[in-house]
Amino acid sequence: MTTMQVDKCPSRRVAGDHDPAAARPDPRSAAGTLCLKVMDTPNAPIPEAAAPPGTPADVNRRLGALLEQIAAGDQAAFAEFYELTSRRVFGMARRVLIDVELSEDTTQEVFLQVWQNASKFNPEAGSPLAWLMTISHRRAVDKVRSSQSSTDREAKYGASSQDIDHDSVSDEVGSRLEAEAVVRCLATLTDTQQESVRLAYYGGLTYREVAEKLNAAVPTIKSRIRDGLIRLKTCLGVS
Amino acid sequence: MTDTNAQNSGRVPGGFAADIATDLASGRAADLAEVYALDAVDDAERAAIESYLLSAPQAERAAFNERVRQARETLATSFTAEEEPPAGLLDRIMASLPSQDVPAAPGAHPSHAPSAVPPVVARPVREPSGRPVTDELGDARRRREERRRPQGMRGWLVGVAAAAIIALGGVGVGAYVANQNDPLNQVMQAGDVRQATVNVAGGGTATVSLSTSKDAIVVKMNDVPAPPPGKVYQMWLIPKDGSAPVSQGLMDAEALSKPAVVKGISTAAALGITVEPTGGSASPTTPTVAEAPLGA
């Protein structure tokens, strides 16, 4: 598979040039910066020190600080945490559960869990966003499995979830760059890997249910999920 | 039909069994990390994995945990669907906040210096004036919504060639009797199904079968040429309220031959189809090649 950006950027720079100033987007030449960034450090996350507003690194730092305040009972910090993340939590719940009320219930449960367990957040074990989305996905999946048969879930999954999962339109340059990387990296997965990972993530299906739906052998689906996620991780430079 | 993965050829290839217990018994616990992180195991299997890890050698447990951590970071980065939660949800949550499990040792959480915290764009204003926080958050949300409302929507729609509606009316269902529980058949056999066919720029037509009672449409492409190399067809629902088109999925050359079910159409004014780079786009980047009004 080829990446979409390669031919658009004739002045390719040496990979590995990590000058933070070069990686910082210049608002006056957004298009050029976009190209530069994609070519410079195709997959690696933006170094934290140079992370422009709106990037996951920047948001995660803020969320980490808020979690400490929430752990101390700070309701304003909790409200800000909600403001920064509720679209993600609700958006994922909607994809998994479809039903608006169930998604709202799930979102409420997730944030109550954030409130009660903020003190248990361990930065060593992952980023705040990954922590939050892990809680959210587990909640959504538990709810969908208890409230709907797998047949219903597959039916509801239907055509509604086969898109790129990157339907948030952000006006932040930092997240746009991140979105570009995700689109590019998802394209490095085989179609069958993408399909299996998405059916599990947004369809709420177990690997066994994915295998049934795709008429594939159970060990094959486990391999696809493993290999797909590892390939995606490698491409994105998750460390 | 195993998937090859050149990037990871250093790992032990393949080798999964049909069930988790056998995988664990054959020393493949770490290879289950991705499936586990994806919540793609059932409760009993999750318990089996966790129970195995409790007594596993420390190195094996560490390897598993590290892969789970990386998989979760990868998922949080890659799957970023967003949707505005219902208005007032924050208020309801705030009203129901129970007391917290306050950590025993206040110093257990190392505090970052405040100066290390970067400014956050669109950070809601804290309550300096004594105004309720949630009002300010609501204001911030409204402002942000206004900013996000796509400016180019009218142009995007106007730029579309007028869609030709060839047929509207009752649809024969003879061809669709195989499986009544199939979502496709639920639409096609609905009492109120209506059908329209629109031309697709570049050749062929798209037939849209709509059932208001099922809140869904079935889209079937007829004689539509395969997308150019590196491109796919992407379907969008265009909301009645003028907000941004919502992606409903991709169709590659293979998927073109199959009908696709799109649900949740009650708030949509039209279905649009665009040609996008492989993997799809977050919002339409080209004019539609076909558009079908959904005057439900």
Side-chain angles (χ1 to χ4, degrees), chain A residues 70 87 104 127 159 222 224, chain B residues 3 23 84 92 248 261:
Chain A
I70 294 168
R87 291 177 55 90
E104 184 174 343
S127 69
K222 280 194 259 189
R224 282 183 193 168
Chain B
D3 298 328
D23 291 331
E84 191 71 29
R92 288 195 288 285
Q248 300 299 323
V261 180

Side-chain angles (χ1 to χ4, degrees), chain B residues 29-291:
Chain B
D31 267 343
L32 293 171
E34 288 78 25
V35 174
Y36 175 91
L38 199 50
D39 296 321
V41 291
D42 63 31
D43 289 344
E45 290 168 335
R46 184 185 294 111
I49 293 171
E50 289 168 356
S51 154
Y52 171 88
L53 287 169
L54 279 178
S55 55
Q58 201 276 333
E60 188 176 15
R61 189 164 58 241
F64 178 89
N65 287 340
E66 176 64 4
R67 276 172 66 172
V68 167
R69 186 190 65 77
Q70 292 179 329
R72 285 175 173 165
E73 297 291 343
T74 300
L75 290 167
T77 302
S78 306
F79 291 80
T80 59
E82 288 192 14
E83 189 169 332
E84 191 71 29
L89 179 57
L90 175 59
D91 291 344
R92 288 195 288 285
I93 294 173
M94 297 290 279
S96 67
L97 289 184
S99 64
Q100 281 176 318
D101 307 334
V102 177
H109 260 266
S111 281
H112 297 297
S115 60
V117 177
V120 171
V121 173
R123 177 180 164 189
V125 180
R126 294 289 183 75
E127 41 184 345
S129 62
R131 231 176 123 198
V133 170
T134 47
D135 281 3
E136 306 234 4
L137 290 178
D139 289 347
R141 183 159 41 221
R142 274 188 294 280
R143 285 195 298 275
R144 195 186 57 209
E145 283 306 293
E146 280 158 20
R147 273 208 314 283
R148 283 193 175 173
R149 195 138 294 156
Q151 304 297 316
M153 269 306 298
R154 295 305 314 170
W156 189 69
L157 284 177
V158 171
V160 165
I165 298 196
I166 296 169
L168 251 180
V171 181
V173 295
Y176 300 92
V177 290
N179 178 355
Q180 302 219 339
N181 293 322
D182 184 312
L184 181 120
N185 292 321
Q186 287 185 359
V187 174
M188 300 311 288
Q189 296 178 1
D192 63 343
V193 69
R194 290 179 297 144
Q195 199 169 67
T197 298
V198 298
N199 288 324
V200 176
T205 59
T207 300
V208 177
S209 305
L210 182 154
S211 165
T212 305
S213 66
K214 300 294 180 195
D215 192 26
I217 55 175
V218 171
V219 183
K220 177 77 173 71
M221 308 284 250
N222 317 299
D223 303 313
V224 172
K231 305 284 186 184
V232 291
Y233 290 104
Q234 188 162 5
M235 296 186 291
W236 310 86
L237 282 181
I238 299 154
K240 289 173 182 167
D241 64 7
S243 56
V246 180
S247 175
Q248 300 299 323
L250 306 178
M251 281 189 174
D252 57 17
E254 191 192 349
L256 268 183
S257 59
K258 302 170 198 156
V261 180
V262 175
K263 297 202 166 196
I265 56 157
S266 61
T267 57
L271 171 87
I273 301 173
T274 61
V275 176
E276 302 290 347
T278 299
S281 299
S283 56
T285 62
T286 59
T288 55
V289 294
E291 189 183 354

Side-chain angles (χ1 to χ4, degrees), chain A residues 172-192:
Chain A
E172 297 296 335
V173 173
S175 351
R176 272 215 316 276
L177 294 174
E178 192 75 23
E180 294 263 351
V182 169
V183 168
R184 194 159 28 77
C185 287
L186 275 169
T188 68
L189 271 59
T190 66
D191 290 347
T192 55

Side-chain angles (χ1 to χ4, degrees), chain B residues 1-40:
Chain B
M1 63 182 279
T2 47
D3 298 328
T4 56
N5 190 337
Q7 292 176 2
N8 296 291
S9 53
R11 285 184 303 98
V12 184
F16 277 121
D19 64 296
I20 297 285
T22 307
D23 291 331
L24 291 172
S26 58
R28 308 203 68 94
D31 267 343
L32 293 171
E34 288 78 25
V35 174
Y36 175 91
L38 199 50
D39 296 321

